[in-house]
Amino acid sequence: MKLHDDALDTLFRRARTHNGFDGRPVDDAVLHDLYDVLKWGPTSANSCPARFVFVRSPEAKARLAPALSSGNRDKTLAAPCTAIVAYDLAFFEALPRLFPHTDARSWFAGKPDVIQATAFRGGTLQGAYLILAARALGLDCGPMSGFDNAMVDAEFFPGTTIRSNFLVNLGYGDPSRVYPRNPRLAFDEACTIA
Ligand SMILES: Cc1cc2nc3c(=O)[nH]c(=O)nc-3n(C[C@H](O)[C@H](O)[C@H](O)COP(=O)(O)O)c2cc1C
């Protein structure tokens, strides 16, 4: 089934990157709905390497603040919720459950380069699924890579195999705070049909 134009507008054409949000909170039920949609997006060998921390309380925001670039700090502290999109380098330990029809764990165990590439690729895809799922559920997003990953890892994931990738502010956007829309590459600049 092809989506109607208004759905494509909501997901892509009219969706914007948000820098400010109205006062409405993002409650636990919405975050559960968000994960229950995004989790169905595909990853290699169904590895599901992404891990998400929804930073919402003032105490947790204060832990995040020192790692943020100066341009991202105020808007992130003001956002109702900030998702840390991370990936678990031990993702392959779950493969006997997530991909049970074959020994997929052995494709990764002891192979750090394959682990890193697969975790980062799949975790990044799942972060993109989060953005699109959020838009589909009526939320707005402000993705950010302007922060110190090592500081976030030390604060939120010490002594673990989890590494941060990027952040996404989540809430109900204030349209007056978006920047002017920039163009995208044309089909012939970005695509070839071989
Ligand atoms: C992975 C990623 C990292 C980004 N990092 C930042 C950032 O650190 N600070 C910021 O203000 N915007 C950041 N952006 C926002 C982009 O500049 C923005 O999404 C892009 O210009 C498209 O804007 P539009 O969705 O309004 O068309 C980031 C976006 C993505 C997807």
Side-chain angles (χ1 to χ4, degrees):
M1 184 194 74
K2 185 178 175 186
L3 292 179
H4 291 147
D5 262 358
D6 57 354
L8 295 174
D9 286 345
T10 298
L11 293 175
F12 292 103
R13 292 188 293 234
R14 290 166 63 95
R16 298 301 315 277
T17 292
H18 282 263
N19 300 296
F21 300 89
D22 71 18
R24 280 178 288 168
V26 176
D27 63 25
D28 285 17
V30 169
L31 295 176
H32 281 264
D33 285 348
L34 177 61
Y35 181 72
D36 283 341
V37 172
L38 82 87
K39 71 183 181 186
W40 295 112
T43 53
S44 61
N46 196 34
S47 50
C48 303
R51 303 292 181 265
F52 304 96
V53 178
F54 295 109
V55 179
R56 203 175 53 180
S57 69
E59 296 76 20
K61 286 287 190 73
R63 292 169 58 205
L64 186 59
L68 299 169
S69 71
S70 56
N72 288 334
R73 188 167 297 129
D74 289 351
K75 65 181 177 182
T76 301
L77 294 180
C81 184
T82 303
I84 302 174
V85 178
Y87 54 95
D88 189 350
L89 294 169
F91 70 87
F92 55 91
E93 299 294 359
L95 287 176
R97 179 162 61 97
L98 297 177
F99 207 64
H101 53 283
T102 188
D103 180 19
R105 184 186 178 281
S106 68
W107 303 343
F108 301 99
K111 298 172 185 162
D113 292 349
V114 185
I115 289 170
Q116 173 63 39
T118 306
F120 187 70
R121 181 188 304 116
T124 303
L125 281 167
Q126 290 185 278
Y129 304 146
L130 176 140
I131 293 171
L132 292 172
R135 289 171 171 178
L137 292 170
L139 290 161
D140 293 298
C141 298
M144 295 169 292
S145 53
F147 69 99
D148 186 320
N149 291 75
M151 287 177 72
V152 167
D153 294 352
E155 182 62 35
F156 287 89
F157 310 120
T160 74
T161 50
I162 300 174
R163 304 286 179 269
S164 59
N165 185 350
F166 64 101
L167 307 175
V168 184
N169 285 336
L170 291 166
Y172 301 92
D174 173 357
S176 73
R177 299 276 307 276
V178 301
Y179 299 133
R181 184 71 132 173
N182 284 317
R184 303 301 201 248
L185 295 176
F187 184 94
D188 288 344
E189 296 174 286
C191 314
T192 53
I193 300 175

